[in-house]
Amino acid sequence: MTTLGRNAVAAATLHSAFDGDVLLPEDPGYDEARTVFNGAVDHRPGIIAQCTSPDDVAHAVVAARDMGLEISVRGGGHGVAGKAVTEGGLMVDLSRMNEVTVDPGARTARFGGGAVMKDLDGAAEAFGLATTGGRASTTGLGGFVLGGGSGWLERKFGLACDNLLSVELVTAEGRFIEAGEKRHPELFWALHGGGGNFGVATAMTLRLHELPAFTAALFLWPEENGREILGAYRDFLAHAPDEVGGGFVFVTGPPEEFVPPQLQGQRCAAVAVMYAGPESAAAEVVAPFVDLEPEGKMVAQLPYSIAQTLFDDPPGMRNYWSAEYLASFPDEAADAFVDCLAGKPLLSQHVMFPGGGAVARNTDGWPVPWRGAPYVVHPFGIWEDPAEDAAAREWVRNVRTTMRPWSTGDVYLNFIGDEGADRVLAGYGEENYRRLAAVKTAYDPGNLFHLNHNIKPNT
C-alpha cells in the first residue's frame, strides 16, 4: 500500500473514533496547523490529528503505528529542529489540550500536553505562585520540561524537571500510564531530561513556589563597550544571589522608549537581570551596572507573566541555535566570545547565560549532566532571508568551535537543533544514555517516537 493509501486508511480509522479534528492537506486550517515558530521548517504531514483528550491521542498513536506511518508530536511547536512536524506521516497535535489547574494549597499545577508557558504563568500568578519556565511565553511546556527546563528562575527554584511531580503518558502501545516517584520510577527518572522518547505526554504536574514580586532590568551600551561589560558581568556573577537570572547578550537594539535612538536597530551590548524579588531589593543588586553608565536602561517590578513576554521570539523567522557549556570563562574566553561577533546576522543574539545556584546544587541524579557548568554560550541564530541560511548557520557553528577550548562537553538539548548522535550522547552522558536506552527499550522498543533528540532502543 502506498503512503497515500495508508494515510487514507488511518484518517478513516480516526474519523470513526475521534473527538478532535482530522486534517488532510486539502482541508481548511491544514497549513496553519502544520506551521511552527521556526520559519525554516516547511514539512507537510499526511495527517494532522488535532487531539482534545488522551483517548484521541491513543487513537492517533495506534492508527499511525498500525499503518506504519511516521509519527510526530506537536506541543507548543517551539523546538528549533522542527521535529514536531513529520514529512508525510501523522502529526499528533496537542495544542487544544492546554488546560491548567492550580492547587494553591498543595502548590502544584497540572497542565495539558499542549499548554505553553503563558498558560501556566497566568494561572499560577493568580495565587502568587510560579515555577521555572522557559525564557519566552510561547515555549511549549511539555518539551521544555521533559528536556530539562532551563529558565530565568532556575538559580532560585531549580530546573523545571527538578519540580516535576508526575507525567501522564500514552505509550507506543496506546496504553495510559502515569509515571511518578512510586509508579514507573525508572521511566519517571528518564522523563527528567529524556524528552519525548518514551511516549506522548498528555499532562504533567509541577511543583510551584511563592513568588510575590519579580523585577526585570535591562541595560544597553554600544557594541564597542561589549568586552568591558562582559568582564564586569562575569565578575558580578561570582557573588550574585540565587534570585538573579538573566544573561549577557549582543543584541540588536529594540525600538523601545528606554532605548536611545542611536542604539535602536544597532548591535548593542546588553545585560539582562531577571530578579526573583521586589524592585527595592533588585536596585541594590544591579547597582554595578548603573555605575557603568548604560545608554539604555529599564528597571521595573512587573508580573512574572509579563516579564516572560519581554524576549518572545518573533514567529516566522528562520532559526538555528546551538550551545556550549563552559567549565570556566577566563579573559581569553571573553576575548574569544567578543571575536565571534564577526559574521553575526543582525537579528541574531549572541548570549552568555549563568549557571549555578539551585541548578548546580541539585543532587537527585537526573540525566542532565550539563547542570554543573557555571556558564553557557548560546548562539541564537535568527534571520529572514532564505538566501542567508548557509551563512547564518555557519556563524552558529563557528561560535561553538571558538568556545570549545573551555567547554565541559555537555549540552542542554533544548538549546540545539539536529546536530547528530554524538551531541545527543553529550546531552545525557554515556552512563545516563545506557540507562535511558534500557527505558526506551522497555516502553518504545520499535522507536515509534523517534522525531526528537533520539535515544535508540537496545537491539
Side-chain angles (χ1 to χ4, degrees):
M1 187 183 296
T2 65
T3 299
L4 189 60
R6 293 198 301 273
N7 283 338
V9 173
T13 301
L14 283 179
H15 275 300
S16 67
F18 200 76
D19 291 327
D21 291 326
V22 179
L23 300 181
L24 300 176
E26 63 271 19
D27 290 333
Y30 169 85
D31 282 327
E32 181 181 358
R34 73 181 180 90
T35 300
V36 290
F37 106 103
N38 185 356
V41 176
D42 187 24
H43 299 159
R44 298 184 63 83
I47 306 172
I48 299 176
Q50 295 187 306
C51 302
T52 60
S53 68
D55 282 338
D56 279 354
V57 174
H59 287 311
V61 167
V62 170
R65 184 200 64 202
D66 289 352
M67 297 311 302
L69 299 175
E70 182 176 65
I71 191 168
S72 68
V73 181
R74 185 193 193 281
H78 206 269
V80 69
K83 300 289 183 126
V85 191
T86 171
E87 180 63 50
L90 187 150
M91 183 176 86
V92 177
D93 182 357
L94 304 176
S95 57
R96 297 184 181 183
M97 299 172 60
N98 64 347
E99 67 285 351
V100 178
T101 303
V102 174
D103 183 335
R107 295 185 187 172
T108 62
R110 180 183 180 274
F111 55 88
V116 298
M117 208 61 247
K118 62 184 176 183
D119 298 321
L120 175 60
D121 290 340
E125 192 167 81
F127 302 98
L129 302 171
T131 195
T132 301
R135 295 176 175 90
S137 70
T138 53
T139 300
L141 276 165
F144 169 74
V145 175
L146 295 181
S150 170
W152 301 131
L153 293 173
E154 64 184 24
R155 286 167 48 86
K156 180 68 172 176
F157 299 139
L159 300 172
C161 74
D162 297 337
N163 294 286
L164 183 61
L165 299 174
S166 68
V167 181
E168 297 163 45
L169 206 71
V170 172
T171 70
E173 295 178 343
R175 292 192 300 124
F176 302 100
I177 61 175
E178 182 174 353
E181 186 178 350
K182 296 182 179 179
R183 287 180 286 184
H184 303 277
E186 192 68 2
L187 173 62
F188 187 58
W189 171 84
L191 293 169
H192 288 72
N197 273 282
F198 312 102
V200 182
T202 58
M204 302 181 199
T205 300
L206 286 179
R207 181 185 301 109
L208 301 177
H209 305 267
E210 289 188 357
L211 186 67
F214 190 84
T215 303
L218 185 63
F219 306 97
L220 292 97
W221 297 263
E223 174 189 344
E224 54 266 28
N225 296 96
R227 176 60 182 84
E228 174 194 1
I229 304 303
L230 176 60
Y233 181 71
R234 176 198 59 191
D235 296 343
F236 162 79
L237 291 177
H239 306 288
D242 289 356
E243 286 78 9
V244 167
F248 174 92
V249 57
F250 283 107
V251 66
T252 302
E256 301 289 347
E257 289 186 6
F258 72 91
V259 181
Q262 69 271 20
L263 292 186
Q264 294 185 15
Q266 303 300 311
R267 195 154 63 192
C268 305
V271 168
V273 177
M274 311 298 276
Y275 187 81
E279 184 176 350
S280 57
E284 182 177 351
V285 171
V286 303
F289 301 111
V290 176
D291 292 343
L292 290 170
E293 300 181 346
E295 294 188 14
K297 182 180 75 169
M298 184 275 289
V299 181
Q301 182 172 317
L302 71 175
Y304 174 64
S305 62
I306 301 301
Q308 284 282 71
T309 70
L310 296 178
F311 298 93
D312 280 357
D313 310 312
M317 302 295 290
R318 304 176 79 80
N319 283 256
Y320 185 81
W321 316 336
S322 195
E324 283 293 332
Y325 278 73
L326 307 185
S328 62
F329 201 77
D331 286 345
E332 294 82 2
D335 292 341
F337 182 92
V338 174
D339 289 344
C340 288
L341 285 174
K344 184 182 87 66
L346 180 63
L347 297 176
S348 297
Q349 300 172 16
H350 186 31
V351 187
M352 187 265 272
F353 288 132
V359 176
R361 289 195 299 270
N362 182 282
T363 57
D364 285 338
W366 310 129
V368 282
W370 42 271
R371 72 184 310 140
Y375 312 96
V376 55
V377 169
H378 183 27
F380 199 94
I382 310 173
W383 67 100
E384 292 184 90
D385 188 350
E388 298 178 9
D389 284 3
R393 290 167 180 157
E394 185 62 21
W395 171 72
V396 171
R397 297 186 188 107
N398 283 341
V399 173
R400 275 199 61 214
T401 300
T402 300
M403 303 308 298
R404 200 168 295 152
W406 301 278
S407 175
T408 66
D410 306 318
V411 65
Y412 173 40
L413 294 174
N414 280 357
F415 270 177
I416 73 172
D418 190 351
E419 298 184 2
D422 287 347
R423 287 284 271 174
V424 174
L425 185 62
Y428 302 121
E430 292 187 13
E431 183 177 346
N432 285 331
Y433 187 90
R434 286 193 294 270
R435 186 174 169 187
L436 289 164
V439 178
K440 176 76 168 180
T441 305
Y443 290 90
D444 184 20
N447 205 12
L448 183 69
F449 303 111
H450 63 269
L451 284 180
N452 43 46
H453 290 295
N454 195 228
I455 298 165
K456 298 190 184 321
N458 297 322
T459 56

